[in-house]
Amino acid sequence: MMRKFMVAGNWKLHGSESMLKNWMADFVTNDQSAKGIDVALCVPFLYVPQLSDSAPRSLIVGAQDVSAHASGAHTGEISAAMLKDVGAQLVLIGHSERRQHHGEDDALVRAKFKQALAQGLMPIICVGESQQQRENNETFAVIERQLAAVIDLLDADNAGQCLLAYEPIWAIGTGLTASAEQAQEVHQFIRSQLASKDVTMARQIRLLYGGSCKGSNAFELFSMPDVDGGLIGGASLAAEDFVAICRQANKLLDKKQSN
Ligand code: PGA
């Protein structure tokens, strides 16, 4: 079993310094990251330095977006090098909210992915279908297209440092979770797409599930053979809820070890 990777994608456009401070205080008292899982927190750009100063060493520091450009006249943009400079180790790319509301297409996602790779930032590429696309039986076609934009950039050397998150849009922030079987079906499809390029790479890359994941459904989702962790939104707003999800991943590990 691959080491599970748990990501809190927190606050979006609701953050503040005091929210981060309180979150961190609650998190460190119950920190699960030192156990057998990797844990990351992704925050809005502005709070990356504060996060990087206050995070325990085991907590991976992440941002929620990155510029597609390395440098140049792009007022307001934040480059991968800048993120690195202030302590980020990881970055979300192509979250569905960015694809839907900020005009990010597959070409832009690819360009951002390249920037992250060039700077040694761990990218989490997000993919997922809308409700309409699922109803039209287009789920696999959509995922295949989104993967096609980045697949040639993945190889056995960088796969351990890259993550893919399957986040069905209909499950994000809606309380509707994909069933464990639905998640596994798509994760397996993603793994097979990757394997058709490089079997070793496909085995090494961790595939996260995101979309209304919470303490009550985490164990079942993480038990699936191709679900290697979670990208958690709403249920990570309170550190104790996020920690409860991390605990489920550790519980799974304990179960596997005792077998
Ligand atoms: P959710 O969000 O866990 O609240 O559904 C997931 C996300 O925003 O990536």
Side-chain angles (χ1 to χ4, degrees), residues 61-83:
V61 174
Q64 298 183 354
D65 189 23
V66 64
S67 176
H69 306 281
S71 62
H74 299 284
T75 303
E77 287 282 270
I78 309 285
S79 71
M82 291 171 179
L83 287 179

Side-chain angles (χ1 to χ4, degrees), residues 5-12 20 23-24 27 38-66 78-80 82-93 116 120-124 163 208 231-232 236 242:
F5 203 107
M6 305 303 307
V7 184
N10 243 348
W11 299 301
K12 304 187 175 181
L20 176 55
W23 193 95
M24 198 54 72
F27 178 77
D38 293 318
V39 181
L41 171 59
C42 291
V43 295
F45 298 131
L46 274 179
Y47 304 115
V48 170
Q50 186 191 346
L51 170 60
S52 143
D53 287 345
S54 58
R57 282 184 73 83
S58 55
L59 183 67
I60 299 166
V61 174
Q64 298 183 354
D65 189 23
V66 64
I78 309 285
S79 71
M82 291 171 179
L83 287 179
K84 276 286 271 206
D85 194 32
V86 294
Q89 299 158 280
L90 175 150
V91 66
L92 294 179
I93 296 177
L121 278 176
M122 276 181 113
I124 304 183
L163 299 116
L208 315 184
L231 172 50
I232 322 296
S236 63
F242 178 62

Side-chain angles (χ1 to χ4, degrees), residues 12 95 97 167 171-174 210-213 231-235:
K12 304 187 175 181
H95 188 281
E97 286 153 18
E167 296 205 300
I172 298 180
T174 58
S212 299
C213 182
L231 172 50
I232 322 296

Side-chain angles (χ1 to χ4, degrees), residues 191-248:
R191 187 95 63 201
S192 69
Q193 290 289 303
L194 299 173
S196 63
K197 194 213 160 197
D198 182 334
V199 176
T200 312
M201 175 269 281
R203 269 202 218 114
Q204 283 171 357
I205 195 161
R206 282 178 284 184
L207 308 181
L208 315 184
Y209 168 78
S212 299
C213 182
K214 41 188 183 281
S216 56
N217 56 29
F219 188 81
E220 212 189 334
L221 283 161
F222 300 156
S223 304
M224 293 291 123
D226 289 299
V227 179
D228 307 314
L231 172 50
I232 322 296
S236 63
L237 287 173
E240 56 179 333
D241 293 341
F242 178 62
V243 167
I245 297 176
C246 294
R247 238 183 238 121
Q248 297 303 313

